[in-house]
Each structure stands twice: as C-alpha cells, then as structure tokens.
Amino acid sequence: MYKRLRLPLILIFWLLVWQGANLFISNDILFAGPWDVLSALGRQIRTADFWRTLAASFSRIGAGFLAAAALGIFLGAAAGRFSALEDFLAPVMLLFKSVPVASFVILALIWIGSDRLSVFISFVVVLPILYTSTLIGLKSADPKLLEMCRVYRVPVIRQIEAVYLPALLPHLLSSADSAIGLAIKSGVAAEVIGVPDYSVGGELYMAKIYLSTADLFAWTLVIIAAAWVLEHLLRKFLKLINKKGQH
Amino acid sequence: MKLSLEIHNLTKSYGKNIIFSGLNLSLSAPNSYCLMAPSGTGKTTLFRILMGLEKPDSGSIRACDLLKDPPCRIPLRELCISSVFQEDRLIEFMTPLENAALVLPGKADREELISWFSRLLPKESLFRPVSTLSGGMRRRCALMRALLAPSSILLLDEPFTGLDDETKKTAIRCLLDKADGRLILTATHSRNDAALLNASVIELPESVSL
C-alpha cells in the first residue's frame, strides 16, 4: 500500500513545490507555474502547426540519427575487422567527439543552411557514439569462442550470429539509448541557433523573443516526452533483435 | 583417411619456462593415446600447436594419410581437427543441438543429432540453452560436439572433468562408438581413464625452468 502510494505522493509534493515557487516569484516572465504551462500546452496542442512542428523537427533529428547509426555501425564493424581502418578513423572520430556542437552548428549554417541543420547535427553527435560502441562491442567477443570457431572452421556468417552479435548487442543497446537523447538535445539546440521554419528549437527561440516562459516550459515538456517515447520505441526495437541473444 | 602424425624434435618455451624440448612422438589412427603428465607440463600447449593456435619454437609435425600409396603428406592447417578444450567453449544462448549444428558443415540432420545426444544427455536438456545446464552436462555437450564434427583427429583435453564414474563410462562408450577410425589423443591425469579408453599411455617429461 505504502509502495503504491509513494510515487504519486512524491510527484504531488514536487508539483506543489513548483506551484509554491511560482506563487513566491509571482512573475510570468521569470517563471511559470504548472497550471500556466499546462494551459500553454493545451493551447498549442489544438493547433495544426504544433503537430507539424513536432513532426518536422523529430523527423529531421531522426533522419540524422538513423543515418549516423547505419554508418557508425558499418564503420565500427569494418574497423573491428581491420585495425588499420581503426587507426585511420581515430582522428576523425576524436574530432567529432571534441568539437563543440555550437561550432558544428555555425559551420553547418554556412554550408547547408538552417533547413537541414538538425539532420547534420544529430548525425555528427551520434556517429562517434555508435561507432565506438560497435568497435568496443566487437572487441569484447570472447577470444576463446573465436578460437573454437577457427578450429572447427565455423563459417563467418555463423560466427557473426553465434559470437559477434551477442557480444555487440548489449553495448549497442545502452549506447543507442544515450545517443538518441543526445541527438534530440543537440538537434533542438541547433534549431535554436538556426531557427528553421516549423521547428521545436524555433519555437523555443520565439518563446525567448516574446518572453513567454510558459511556452518555453511547455515546449520543454514536449521535448522530454518525445525523447522518452523515442527512447522506448528504440529500446523495444533493439530488444526484439536481441531476443536471440538473451541469456 | 588413416592419419599418422610424426612429431619431431618439438620445442616450445614461454620466456624462461621450457614447456617441452626435443619432443618426439609417433601417432597413428585409429589408435587412442593418453597423454599423462602433471599439470602445467604442456599437454594443452601441445594440443594448441596441433590446432595451429600456437607456433612451436622449433621442430616439425608431419601429418600423413597412410591409405594413399605412397602415403601423402597433408599440411597441418588442412587437417580437420575436433577438440574438447580445457574449458567447454559452448555458445551459451544456444541449445546443445544448435551448438553441434554450428560446427557441422551444411544443414545438420536434426534427428541424427538428437539420437546421438540422447546417449549422453537427458532428452529434455537438448532443447534448452546450455547456460541453463549443469557443469557436467555442459562437458558432455562439448564432448558430443567434438565427436559429431567431421574430423580426422580428436584432441580431448581432460574431457571427463566433472563427470561421475557412471556418466564417464557412458561417455567413453559413446566416444569409442563414434570414433570412426579417427586418431584420438586424450590429456588426462587418471590411469583408469587410459584403461577405459583402451589407450596407449604417453608420459610427457616435466617441464623445466631455467
């Protein structure tokens, strides 16, 4: 009984803290309470532009994510096979990892403009993460099992199924999870700088222009919710693939 | 094929630890041999050299097919080898049947696999992932995999660890039934195993440290 009530009670407590802070500050520009945010959200949801904005932003970020995932896994697998390629790619991946997202955003604005900006940014953020985890995952394949395969002359395709995939999938699972969160956060940040039409980041920028804190909070909630949904969809999908590798 | 192996003057050392030096052995199928030696005297190393997983420092190994006239030499890396490793080395999420099918070329005959495996393992265990099996069952599974794989030599590195006397006897009967004229080389501590396997005993000399 206590366990079942605990979570709702905790949530209610923090909502009350939020509302209390709102009453204390009592300034619509500096802070928005839960009720203001909810009504701002309700206003937005009823418009067609809201859904169009949401779809446009997340399809761009998703496209970048999928392209980076495909290339990252492919390059990671190739680098796992050929160590020369790993060394060759190491500076590029290090560059992608260490250059600040903001620098990439400005560069992308100059190169490709604001429309496809977040595709590029989510691509650049996700690529090194999935590349690295693919590489590490493949390297974690049990050398004893690989020796066994060599002695028995197990064909490569069967080795992949029996040894490499089960070693790879747990790594991929956990990194894809954090990669999608990062893709969304940095994709939206890029949109705030580039302000493309129909974008979540553009809406955040508008909220700043009009000093509409309630809208800022509302869009933030939307981003969190969408990221949560996408992470869960991805996790479901990867679990489905992983079913064979489950111990 | 009727395999013969001539091991000539084989030497292997790790740093200052000489595993064996000037080892000479003459082995031929369909005979069974037991390598008897205290732990750490190079039984596993010898097996690894035969499997091509390790290079000897010097010496040679010649494999010949005695059925050909004149007997023709086979490069070591073309030799088909079945091995029970010191560890089981099974694919954990696969069933015993799938583990065997993995090392068989082409599509395995499921009924045949089941009939062989049920001599060593309870039938219900054949359809479970090996991760759910006990240590002794996993050992028998590794042995069965080695027996079923097509090969001309069986290298068994202490294949009966964790088996009680009764299961060991069943396993040895099964091993002899499925030997198919292959050369069998077993590493073991027990003279009793050698007798049960009807094997000639080979004593490896103690390794020396310089």
Side-chain angles (χ1 to χ4, degrees):
Chain A
M1 196 60 196
Y2 166 73
K3 277 235 158 123
R4 263 175 55 201
L5 277 177
R6 193 162 72 179
L7 192 62
L9 282 175
I10 290 172
L11 282 178
I12 288 168
F13 171 79
W14 287 111
L15 277 174
L16 285 176
V17 169
W18 183 4
Q19 179 62 19
N22 184 42
L23 288 175
F24 178 74
I25 297 169
S26 120
N27 180 331
D28 283 349
I29 291 172
L30 288 181
F31 202 77
W35 183 247
D36 308 325
V37 172
L38 214 62
S39 54
L41 193 61
R43 229 177 15 253
Q44 293 277 9
I45 282 179
R46 278 197 290 270
T47 64
D49 275 0
F50 170 84
W51 298 104
R52 188 171 166 190
T53 303
L54 206 61
S57 261
F58 281 93
S59 61
R60 280 185 294 238
I61 293 170
F65 176 86
L66 289 178
L71 188 67
I73 292 169
F74 172 77
L75 286 179
R81 176 73 185 73
F82 305 105
S83 64
L85 184 67
E86 184 190 350
D87 295 342
F88 179 75
L89 288 176
V92 184
M93 291 300 163
L94 187 66
L95 188 81
F96 276 30
K97 263 190 244 182
S98 31
V99 170
V101 174
S103 309
F104 273 126
V105 172
I106 306 299
L107 188 67
L109 275 175
I110 299 169
W111 281 357
I112 56 177
S114 65
D115 275 350
R116 274 158 299 160
L117 175 67
S118 51
V119 180
F120 178 77
I121 293 304
S122 92
F123 178 87
V124 168
V125 168
V126 170
L127 182 70
I129 299 178
L130 289 196
Y131 168 82
T132 309
S133 72
T134 304
L135 194 57
I136 293 175
L138 288 180
K139 282 184 175 171
S140 76
D142 186 348
K144 292 189 164 162
L145 290 181
L146 293 175
E147 271 184 4
M148 181 276 289
C149 288
R150 198 174 135 196
V151 169
Y152 282 108
R153 300 182 184 168
V154 177
V156 175
I157 195 90
R158 289 189 189 174
Q159 289 189 33
I160 291 174
E161 189 204 355
V163 185
Y164 286 111
L165 270 186
L168 175 62
L169 281 174
H171 285 90
L172 220 50
L173 214 70
S174 68
S175 73
D177 227 43
S178 55
I180 203 160
L182 269 174
I184 290 168
K185 279 179 207 153
S186 48
V188 169
E191 287 175 343
V192 172
I193 303 174
V195 203
D197 297 338
Y198 295 107
S199 67
V200 175
E203 293 296 327
L204 291 181
Y205 186 75
M206 288 306 151
K208 180 213 152 196
I209 300 267
Y210 295 114
L211 298 175
S212 167
T213 310
D215 280 323
L216 169 68
F217 280 24
W219 276 107
T220 306
L221 270 187
V222 169
I223 296 168
I224 294 173
W228 187 84
V229 168
L230 285 180
E231 272 170 35
H232 275 255
L233 282 179
L234 185 76
R235 219 171 290 171
K236 279 251 162 63
F237 172 70
L238 286 172
K239 283 249 167 72
L240 214 66
I241 304 177
N242 199 18
K243 227 158 135 193
K244 262 202 105 160
Q246 294 281 312
H247 291 206
Chain B
M1 107 135 60
K2 188 169 181 291
L3 181 73
S4 88
L5 276 182
E6 299 290 333
I7 296 172
H8 184 65
N9 217 1
L10 202 67
T11 300
K12 177 76 186 175
S13 58
Y14 293 109
K16 285 186 172 167
N17 198 7
I18 298 173
I19 307 295
F20 38 74
S21 79
L23 180 70
N24 292 304
L25 286 176
S26 178
L27 313 167
S28 64
N31 296 326
S32 173
Y33 302 88
C34 269
L35 286 178
M36 308 267 300
S39 305
T41 46
K43 293 177 301 228
T44 302
T45 307
L46 179 61
F47 282 1
R48 290 181 64 80
I49 290 174
L50 287 172
M51 289 185 276
L53 300 174
E54 211 75 60
K55 285 222 180 316
D57 299 337
S58 64
S60 66
I61 300 169
R62 291 170 69 105
C64 288
D65 186 354
L66 297 177
L67 284 186
K68 297 265 167 63
D69 191 33
C72 79
R73 192 167 166 191
I74 314 161
L76 209 55
R77 69 192 130 71
E78 279 175 27
L79 207 59
C80 281
I81 294 176
S82 277
S83 168
V84 171
F85 294 87
Q86 212 164 34
E87 318 84 9
D88 298 318
R89 303 202 184 186
L90 299 166
I91 307 294
E92 295 290 329
F93 69 92
M94 290 185 166
T95 66
L97 297 179
E98 288 167 340
N99 266 284
L102 186 75
V103 302
L104 295 173
K107 199 165 153 45
D109 180 348
R110 192 176 152 84
E111 292 309 314
E112 200 193 334
L113 289 188
I114 292 176
S115 82
W116 275 108
F117 263 102
S118 30
R119 289 186 60 174
L120 283 189
L121 289 165
K123 201 151 187 181
E124 57 82 28
S125 70
L126 303 185
F127 311 101
R128 286 196 271 144
V130 288
S131 59
T132 65
L133 302 183
S134 72
M137 289 163 109
R138 297 159 59 91
R139 202 66 189 148
R140 278 172 274 165
C141 179
L143 177 63
M144 204 63 225
R145 174 178 68 185
L147 291 179
L148 292 172
S151 58
S152 44
I153 175 166
L154 283 166
L155 300 179
L156 312 176
D157 199 346
E158 301 183 17
F160 310 120
T161 35
L163 303 191
D164 59 59
D165 281 345
E166 210 43 54
T167 20
K168 189 199 283 185
K169 277 178 191 150
T170 320
I172 288 176
R173 257 197 308 277
C174 193
L175 164 60
L176 296 175
D177 285 351
K178 190 73 181 104
D180 295 339
R182 288 180 277 194
L183 174 62
I184 304 173
L185 201 51
T186 311
T188 177
H189 292 297
S190 140
R191 293 217 169 255
N192 190 24
D193 287 1
L196 286 171
L197 279 164
N198 202 11
S200 337
V201 171
I202 299 167
E203 307 254 8
L204 284 184
E206 293 231 18
S207 60
V208 275
S209 285
L210 290 181

